[in-house]
Amino acid sequence: MILTKDYDYYLPKELIAQTPLENRSESRLMILNRKNKTIEHKHFSDIVDYLDENDVLVLNDTKVIPARLYGHKEDTNALIEILLLHDKGNNVWQTLAKPQRRVKIGSIISFGDGRLKAKCVKKEDMGICEFELIYDGILVEILDSLGEMPLPPYIHEKLADKDRYQTVYAKNPGSAAAPTAGLHFTPELLKKIQDKGVQIVYITLHVGLGTFRPVEEEDLTNHVMHEEYYEISKEAADTLNKAKQQGKRIVAVGTTSTRTLESAYDNGFKPCCQTTSIFIYPGFKFKAIDAQITNFHLPKSTLIMLVSAFAGREFILKAYEEAVKEKYRFFSFGDAMFIE
């Protein structure tokens, strides 16, 4: 049994970042050296000093869609909120619906005077419903005008510029949340990294329920991860395989890139378009990555379990304790750590 409560930690509410910094790369960066168990305090722009020409930096180029929609049931006019999580094909989406009890199979929710309608075709536990989306035109454009950016519930401030909840390299629409470790990069910083000889590889994982569903089991090994869709191109797979053969270090930016690479690695990387429900917790043997950049994660979340698997639970909890003492900013708009 591995206890979920062993991944809890004390966090004062005021350390939860409510807004992004004006300059993305000015956030703080904690350097964790797994071998020596040392902790250093830097700024994110200093990441250049910790990368070299023998590194491959892997970025998740998913783009957050305005996935939160507010509409009314056509029969009762009840207000329903849905969060689009995963495109299952043929205009059917897995969603979180609130309040789910008001939604029945066959219920039709109307958004924006009927520009978009959603018909419930399946109900599951914990608020999950599948809806068939009915519309004329291009869905991404409709969502741009009707939907809201799905900021996490711990962010209470209105986001002045919705692009700040996107990475500067976001390209493939489909996420219900941002891959937040990537929010610290600027075009200028990426250029400096490339100028140093670091190779940059883009992969895609659309962030859905698997990443942010809380662990409610006492024994974390009983937690079930929801599937998330990912893609690795032939070009990316070839670059990664060559890096492995040459003994280069593969640096994953974020837990989403980590989960994608570890899901895809089987005696090498193969091009793929598929889903993963991989759950990484202590005891997991990493085969794909050598270092990772990540933000500070929620207590008892699958993400703090993932970084604990990579760096050791005691070392991570010690680092988090130090981050609280040094008043680091936490979660989506917060500071980052580089675990090498």
Side-chain angles (χ1 to χ4, degrees), residues 34 44 47 51 55-60 169 179 181-182 185 198-199 201 203 240 249-262 269 280 286 288-295 297 306-307 310 336-340:
R34 291 184 293 158
F44 197 82
I47 192 68
L51 300 170
D55 291 336
V56 176
L57 191 69
V58 184
L59 303 173
N60 179 7
Y169 47 81
F185 289 94
V198 177
Q199 283 180 289
V201 169
I203 58 173
L240 291 165
R249 191 170 64 156
I250 292 179
V251 181
V253 175
T255 55
T256 61
S257 296
T258 298
R259 291 178 65 237
T260 302
L261 294 170
E262 294 296 336
F269 297 95
I280 297 175
F286 288 85
I289 73 160
D290 304 293
Q292 66 171 308
I293 295 167
T294 187
N295 276 20
H297 305 296
L306 183 153
V307 294
F310 192 63
M337 56 166 61
F338 178 47
I339 310 174
E340 57 177 350

Side-chain angles (χ1 to χ4, degrees), residues 215-232:
V215 179
E216 289 167 348
E217 301 282 351
E218 182 187 2
D219 178 354
L220 69 84
T221 62
N222 293 328
H223 177 73
V224 177
M225 294 285 279
H226 286 261
E227 290 187 337
E228 293 172 312
Y229 174 83
Y230 72 90
E231 289 180 14
I232 296 179

Side-chain angles (χ1 to χ4, degrees), residues 113-160:
D113 298 327
R115 273 188 70 198
L116 175 66
K117 293 186 179 187
K119 180 181 180 181
C120 181
V121 294
K122 187 178 178 184
K123 282 185 77 172
E124 297 177 35
D125 293 340
M126 301 170 82
I128 296 173
C129 291
E130 287 185 11
F131 284 97
E132 178 190 354
L133 301 187
I134 303 156
Y135 57 91
D136 288 321
I138 299 166
L139 181 60
V140 174
E141 291 178 1
I142 293 168
L143 293 178
D144 272 341
S145 63
L146 298 181
E148 287 185 5
M149 288 301 265
L151 290 180
Y154 49 76
I155 291 176
H156 308 298
E157 295 284 327
K158 200 83 174 155
L159 188 59

Side-chain angles (χ1 to χ4, degrees), residues 42-333:
K42 300 286 181 179
H43 285 92
F44 197 82
S45 53
D46 297 323
I47 192 68
V48 179
D49 301 331
Y50 292 86
L51 300 170
D52 63 36
E53 69 274 4
N54 286 316
D55 291 336
V56 176
L57 191 69
V58 184
L59 303 173
N60 179 7
D61 66 4
T62 189
K63 190 170 189 178
V64 186
I65 57 173
R68 182 166 279 130
L69 293 157
Y70 297 93
H72 292 87
K73 271 181 75 183
E74 287 200 336
D75 53 353
T76 64
N77 210 35
L79 179 65
I80 305 290
E81 174 192 334
I82 70 171
L83 176 64
L84 301 176
L85 293 173
H86 174 49
D87 180 359
K88 305 205 64 158
N90 297 321
N91 285 326
V92 173
W93 281 73
Q94 181 194 62
T95 75
L96 273 181
K98 289 201 304 196
Q100 190 196 34
R101 61 187 164 75
R102 292 190 176 273
V103 178
K104 309 280 187 284
I105 302 286
S107 291
I108 294 176
I109 321 296
S110 180
F111 307 94
D113 298 327
R115 273 188 70 198
L116 175 66
K117 293 186 179 187
K119 180 181 180 181
C120 181
V121 294
K122 187 178 178 184
K123 282 185 77 172
E124 297 177 35
D125 293 340
M126 301 170 82
I128 296 173
C129 291
E130 287 185 11
F131 284 97
E132 178 190 354
L133 301 187
I134 303 156
Y135 57 91
D136 288 321
I138 299 166
L139 181 60
V140 174
E141 291 178 1
I142 293 168
L143 293 178
D144 272 341
S145 63
L146 298 181
E148 287 185 5
M149 288 301 265
L151 290 180
Y154 49 76
I155 291 176
H156 308 298
E157 295 284 327
K158 200 83 174 155
L159 188 59
D161 175 5
K162 64 182 184 181
D163 283 342
R164 291 308 308 273
Y165 194 57
Q166 302 278 20
T167 61
V168 296
Y169 47 81
K171 183 180 160 192
N172 293 313
S175 270
T180 54
L183 294 178
H184 306 281
F185 289 94
T186 62
E188 297 77 20
L189 184 56
L190 287 168
K191 185 175 185 309
K192 269 190 194 171
I193 289 167
Q194 280 181 303
D195 287 349
K196 204 171 176 184
V198 177
Q199 283 180 289
I200 294 180
V201 169
Y202 293 96
I203 58 173
T204 305
L205 179 135
H206 292 320
V207 186
L209 203 57
T211 294
F212 58 82
R213 169 68 82 193
V215 179
E216 289 167 348
E217 301 282 351
E218 182 187 2
D219 178 354
L220 69 84
T221 62
N222 293 328
H223 177 73
V224 177
M225 294 285 279
H226 286 261
E227 290 187 337
E228 293 172 312
Y229 174 83
Y230 72 90
E231 289 180 14
I232 296 179
S233 67
K234 183 178 185 310
E235 183 188 5
D238 289 347
T239 303
L240 291 165
N241 285 327
K242 193 173 176 188
K244 277 283 184 201
Q245 288 155 14
Q246 294 174 342
K248 290 188 172 185
R249 191 170 64 156
I250 292 179
V251 181
V253 175
T255 55
T256 61
S257 296
T258 298
R259 291 178 65 237
T260 302
L261 294 170
E262 294 296 336
S263 296
Y265 190 79
D266 182 14
N267 294 322
F269 297 95
K270 296 174 183 66
C272 51
C273 308
Q274 57 199 58
T275 58
T276 181
S277 54
I278 192 171
F279 179 18
I280 297 175
Y281 54 85
F284 182 86
K285 296 284 181 273
F286 288 85
K287 299 185 184 79
I289 73 160
D290 304 293
Q292 66 171 308
I293 295 167
T294 187
N295 276 20
F296 290 87
H297 305 296
L298 276 74
K300 299 194 285 190
S301 64
T302 62
L303 306 181
I304 194 171
M305 292 163 189
L306 183 153
V307 294
S308 296
F310 192 63
R313 182 183 78 92
E314 287 181 11
F315 189 34
I316 286 295
L317 291 178
K318 180 189 170 194
Y320 273 57
E321 196 179 316
E322 187 148 334
V324 169
K325 193 175 82 186
E326 296 293 330
K327 295 194 165 26
Y328 273 65
R329 303 166 82 244
F330 279 67
F331 306 162
S332 295
F333 289 137

Side-chain angles (χ1 to χ4, degrees), residues 6-20:
D6 287 345
Y7 296 85
D8 200 3
Y9 65 91
Y10 168 69
L11 179 67
K13 279 197 171 65
E14 63 269 20
L15 296 185
I16 300 173
Q18 293 296 317
T19 53

